[in-house]
């Protein structure tokens, strides 16, 4: 009985570590999807000239990004941002969506270039955070689970 309880504590510690690391993974996926959307946007504006409405139908890596995208295209506003984004990051996303599809192709190319640099920087920092803090959370959860296992067994 004691062994079963100890193993359950170990598993619970590991699962909690994985759960805490999810916000870093989701932030990385969000910026990866935002970069992908920006690349697709540039292709639509400069080459295909279909319009940005077709971009909302694509499946992106981040479900959070897909929800934000659908909210903006359907309601022209974003109701709920993820908690892991700062106010500056939220404003950048709103300003980006406000700027796309509103002017000629040359100006849209400039919007693409400006936000491409900004989102690439955010993607890089989110990737570094994911590696650093994501593994830290998982290891801390494992250590807490192991400590509970040793105490109980």
């Amino acid at each position: 009985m004691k062994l079963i309880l100890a193993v359950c504590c170990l598993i619970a510690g590991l699962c909690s570590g994985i759960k805490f690391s999810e916000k870093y993974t989701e932030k990385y996926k969000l910026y990866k999807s935002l970069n992908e959307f920006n690349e697709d946007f540039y292709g639509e504006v400069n080459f295909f000239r279909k319009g940005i409405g077709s971009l909302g139908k694509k499946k992106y890596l981040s479900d959070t990004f897909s929800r934000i995208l659908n909210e903006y295209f359907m309601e022209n506003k974003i109701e709920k941002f993820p908690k892991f984004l700062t106010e500056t990051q939220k404003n950048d996303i709103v300003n980006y969506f406000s700027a796309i599809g509103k002017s000629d192709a040359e100006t849209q190319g400039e919007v693409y270039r400006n936000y491409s640099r900004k989102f690439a920087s955010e993607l890089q920092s989110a990737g570094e955070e994911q590696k650093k803090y994501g593994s830290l959370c998982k290891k801390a959860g494992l250590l807490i689970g192991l400590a509970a296992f040793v105490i109980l067994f």
Side-chain angles (χ1 to χ4, degrees), residues 109-124:
E110 193 63 35
V111 167
Y112 159 78
R113 284 186 285 283
N114 290 336
Y115 280 100
S116 181
R117 288 188 293 270
K118 185 178 296 233
F119 293 150
S121 169
E122 291 287 348
L123 177 63
Q124 182 180 5

Side-chain angles (χ1 to χ4, degrees), residues 86-117:
T86 64
E87 285 300 316
T88 306
Q89 291 170 333
K90 292 174 188 177
N91 290 335
D92 286 343
I93 291 171
V94 169
N95 292 338
Y96 172 70
F97 284 134
S98 298
I100 62 173
K102 303 281 196 280
S103 58
D104 63 348
E106 185 177 319
T107 307
Q108 293 299 298
E110 193 63 35
V111 167
Y112 159 78
R113 284 186 285 283
N114 290 336
Y115 280 100
S116 181
R117 288 188 293 270

Side-chain angles (χ1 to χ4, degrees), residues 126-138:
E128 290 169 1
E129 280 182 9
Q130 180 193 20
K131 287 178 188 171
K132 184 177 177 181
Y133 297 119
S135 66
L136 176 69
C137 289
K138 290 174 187 171

